[in-house]
């Protein structure tokens, strides 16, 4: 049975074959739309990238023991014979547009390097803090065999991390090896095979040199930063070196400001994944004349992104908006942004006092860490300013205790508070390769929901393709717990009412818990139970 019938065939195969909507016909061979059809990641990794680039093809999937190959020119019989010999297995050929095949090859962590060898040289320049625009050091091509192996390894690791949308690079040293990992969409994935431990000191030293750290110091933690210009784009990197029992570990945080600035130009609350009800409530409270808009959650839960989305929506020429952050990660046009510099004495508290003398209408405080900052922020909210800020707490009700432990008056805090938003991020299943999955009653019960709850839902599980680098996920969305304060809730808080009463009252007024928000995304087919269980508790178990 042929999954890609010729024009004379009655109709394409509709089961176990590529979907009919992905196929067009060109002579004897069908043409595949790779923008729709997912390319099997395991197959893609099993074939030499050099071979795929040389003959401009990608493997799509296996059907009836034949490997289906998408080629730019499926009529090239000579290339077909070469591929049968090189791959040593039965093949079936289809056509695909050249640009689509190029796009698939570029999604490999090494593909872009090989493709660039035929064109302009890939240059990376280290930029010092004091001379951002000056080219100080040029690295050779990443694929240059004459380049020092350690230098080439570090450069390639950074370049690949950018290609794969990583937020951090982790280098972990053990008794026998050093392992390089990328954090993508909040999870760690191995970036390469294990490297012999004897190379670990050289790799860490290379990173220290780039960050202008002391290469002779191996017993104390060190923090540094460096800038690179990759393909014409300036990128910041923050480095942390930590001594361990087996040597030194390093974490490199990637701050691609230029890329983020482009994304944030169109940033608004609509693209963050909030439900229509939560969106309406968020927008209402973000436009109050004064008071405190508080976002809470652990590090990396998207608090700053949410606040920047709010500021992007409410900024206008009539209002003066000033932020104080540590650090200023994204730049917003029309907003005055101040970076904290504790070494020079510019703390959140000192900066906030100065901000108030500049007659702002709205203020963003990156994080409340101490009693002094909390007191000034609360007084600002009570004296006619709209204050946006974040604090570390597990849910909307834990925030009250967090401020109480800082020594803040509960009455003042509650009086200033407009709303609290607790937030987490969950990974979203890759839309190109996710597969339908019907959960069993046992699986539903283990996740605290009933079979009745599942009625009307569409459930999926991850699979993995080239588009998502085999992870099965692409991107993240927010799940939220939003508490808007009214007179009844404030009265309960003044009275230090039990948590049970507070939760019941919040539910009466329509508050959705983090778990409920997460389950809603599972039911919509955006994520799965495994992912939401990482960030929320299973209720009722």
């Amino acid at each position: 049975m042929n999954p890609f019938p010729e024009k004379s065939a009655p109709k394409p195969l509709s089961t176990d074959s590529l979907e009919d909507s992905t196929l067009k016909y060109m002579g004897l061979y069908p043409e595949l739309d790779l923008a729709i059809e997912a390319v099997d990641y395991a197959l893609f990794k099993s074939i030499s990238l050099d071979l795929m680039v040389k003959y401009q093809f990608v493997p799509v999937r296996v059907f009836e023991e034949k490997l289906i190959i998408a080629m730019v020119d499926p009529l090239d019989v000579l290339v077909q014979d070469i591929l049968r010999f090189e791959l040593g297995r039965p093949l079936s050929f289809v056509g695909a547009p050249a640009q689509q095949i190029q796009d698939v090859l570029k999604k490999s962590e090494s593909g872009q390097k090989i493709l660039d060898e035929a064109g302009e040289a890939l240059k990376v320049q280290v930029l010092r803090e004091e001379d951002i625009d000056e080219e100080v050091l040029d690295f050779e091509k990443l694929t240059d065999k004459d380049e020092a192996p350690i230098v080439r390894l570090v450069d390639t690791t950074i370049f690949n991390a950018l290609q794969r949308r990583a937020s951090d690079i982790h280098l972990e040293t053990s008794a026998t090896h050093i392992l390089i990992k990328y954090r993508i969409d909040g999870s760690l994935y191995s970036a390469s095979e294990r490297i012999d431990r004897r190379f670990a000191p050289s790799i860490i030293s290379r990173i220290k040199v780039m960050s202008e750290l002391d290469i002779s110091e191996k017993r104390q933690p060190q923090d540094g930063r460096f800038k690179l210009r990759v393909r014409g784009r300036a990128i910041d990197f923050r480095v942390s070196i930590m001594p361990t029992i087996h040597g030194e570990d390093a974490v490199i945080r990637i701050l691609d400001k230029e890329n983020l600035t482009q994304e944030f130009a169109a940033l608004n609350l609509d693209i963050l994944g909030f439900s229509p009800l939560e969106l309406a409530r968020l927008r209402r409270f973000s436009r109050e004349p004064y008071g405190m808009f508080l976002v809470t959650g652990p590090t990396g839960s998207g608090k700053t992104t949410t606040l920047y989305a709010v500021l992007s929506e409410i900024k206008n020429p009539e209002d003066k908006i000033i932020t104080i952050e540590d650090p200023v990660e994204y730049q917003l046009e029309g907003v005055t942004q101040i970076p904290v510099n504790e070494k020079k004495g510019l703390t959140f508290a000192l900066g906030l006092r100065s901000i108030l003398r500049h007659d702002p209408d709205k203020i963003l405080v990156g994080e409340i860490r101490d009693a002094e900052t909390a007191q000034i922020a609360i007084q600002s909210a009570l004296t006619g300013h709209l204050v946006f800020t974040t604090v570390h707490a597990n849910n909307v009700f834990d925030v009250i205790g967090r401020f109480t432990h800082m020594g803040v008056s509960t009455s003042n805090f509650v009086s200033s508070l407009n709303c609290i938003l607790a937030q987490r991020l969950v990974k979203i299943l890759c839309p190109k390769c996710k597969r339908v999955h019907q959960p069993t009653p046992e699986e539903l019960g283990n996740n605290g929901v009933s079979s009745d709850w599942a009625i009307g839902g569409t459930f999926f599980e991850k699979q993995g393709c080239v588009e998502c680098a085999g992870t099965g996920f692409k991107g993240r969305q927010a799940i939220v717990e939003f508490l808007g304060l009214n007179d009844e809730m404030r009265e309960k808080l003044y009275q230090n009412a039990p948590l049970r009463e507070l939760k019941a009252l919040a539910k009466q007024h329509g508050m959705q818990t983090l778990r409920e928000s997460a389950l809603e995304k599972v039911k919509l087919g955006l994520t799965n139970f495994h992912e939401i269980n990482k960030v929320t508790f299973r209720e009722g178990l």
Side-chain angles (χ1 to χ4, degrees), residues 212-387:
E212 298 184 307
L213 298 177
D214 184 357
I215 61 173
S216 63
E217 178 56 72
K218 301 181 186 298
R219 292 177 293 181
Q220 294 290 332
Q222 296 189 70
D223 293 321
R225 60 195 308 152
F226 61 91
K227 291 177 182 286
L228 298 180
R229 191 175 300 281
V230 182
R231 302 180 65 82
R233 195 168 77 238
I235 301 171
D236 289 307
F237 297 84
R238 285 192 294 174
V239 177
S240 178
I241 309 289
M242 179 70 70
T244 70
I245 58 171
H246 297 299
E248 291 179 290
D249 282 10
V251 176
I252 304 172
R253 167 65 58 87
I254 301 171
L255 299 173
D256 192 348
K257 290 184 180 178
E258 292 190 21
N259 191 40
L260 287 169
T261 300
Q262 294 171 7
E263 293 176 10
F264 272 62
L267 181 66
N268 56 58
L269 291 169
D270 290 315
I271 65 175
L272 300 184
F274 298 125
S275 69
L277 175 63
E278 304 296 2
L279 266 178
R281 300 176 75 196
L282 273 168
R283 286 188 166 121
R284 179 169 75 82
F285 280 97
S286 69
R287 287 173 169 82
E288 296 288 3
Y290 56 86
M292 183 179 288
F293 185 113
L294 189 58
V295 183
T296 185
T299 301
S301 60
K303 302 187 297 293
T304 303
T305 302
T306 296
L307 286 179
Y308 267 88
V310 170
L311 290 185
S312 295
E313 289 199 351
I314 67 171
K315 66 177 183 174
N316 63 77
E318 296 177 1
D319 289 335
K320 181 159 188 173
I321 303 176
I322 305 180
T323 77
I324 180 162
E325 308 163 68
D326 182 24
V328 176
E329 294 188 6
Y330 322 118
Q331 297 176 15
L332 268 184
E333 189 176 349
V335 176
T336 303
Q337 297 172 273
I338 303 168
V340 165
N341 190 337
E342 294 191 358
K343 291 181 180 179
K344 301 289 180 65
L346 179 53
T347 61
F348 275 112
L350 183 62
L352 190 49
R353 289 184 190 279
S354 179
I355 284 172
L356 293 173
R357 293 193 286 271
H358 281 248
D359 188 28
D361 297 287
K362 298 173 177 64
I363 303 167
L364 186 150
V365 183
E367 183 185 344
I368 290 180
R369 299 174 180 171
D370 54 67
E372 186 180 8
T373 307
Q375 294 284 7
I376 301 169
I378 290 168
Q379 287 302 316
S380 303
L382 291 171
T383 54
H385 302 90
L386 184 57
V387 178

Side-chain angles (χ1 to χ4, degrees), residues 45 49 53 105-116 143 156 159-160 163-164:
K45 296 293 287 183
L49 191 62
V53 171
L105 293 175
K106 286 180 181 180
K107 287 183 172 66
S108 146
E109 60 265 32
S110 304
Q112 183 67 56
K113 295 185 302 176
I114 297 174
L115 291 171
D116 281 347
T143 49
T156 305
F159 183 82
N160 290 349
Q163 291 294 103
R164 294 181 62 179

Side-chain angles (χ1 to χ4, degrees), residues 29-61:
Y29 292 91
E31 183 175 335
L32 187 66
D33 187 353
L34 293 179
I36 300 173
E37 178 62 33
V39 174
D40 187 294
Y41 185 73
L43 284 176
F44 186 85
K45 296 293 287 183
S46 68
I47 296 175
S48 163
L49 191 62
D50 293 297
L51 190 67
M52 288 189 283
V53 171
K54 182 176 181 180
Y55 294 109
Q56 290 294 284
F57 76 93
V58 291
V60 180
R61 65 168 65 174

Side-chain angles (χ1 to χ4, degrees), residues 290-296 367-383 385 387-393 395-422 483-486 489-496 502:
Y290 56 86
M292 183 179 288
F293 185 113
L294 189 58
V295 183
T296 185
E367 183 185 344
I368 290 180
R369 299 174 180 171
D370 54 67
E372 186 180 8
T373 307
Q375 294 284 7
I376 301 169
I378 290 168
Q379 287 302 316
S380 303
L382 291 171
T383 54
H385 302 90
V387 178
F388 299 92
T389 189
T390 73
V391 70
H392 290 291
N395 56 57
V396 294
F397 297 106
D398 285 354
V399 170
I400 313 298
R402 181 91 168 94
F403 275 82
T404 302
H405 285 305
M406 288 185 194
V408 173
S409 163
T410 302
S411 60
N412 280 347
F413 173 59
V414 173
S415 298
S416 70
L417 194 59
N418 291 345
C419 63
I420 308 172
L421 175 72
L483 177 65
L485 270 67
N486 54 26
M489 180 61 74
R490 284 194 172 91
E491 188 176 343
K492 290 285 186 184
L493 291 171
Y494 286 140
Q495 296 168 356
N496 290 320
L502 295 174

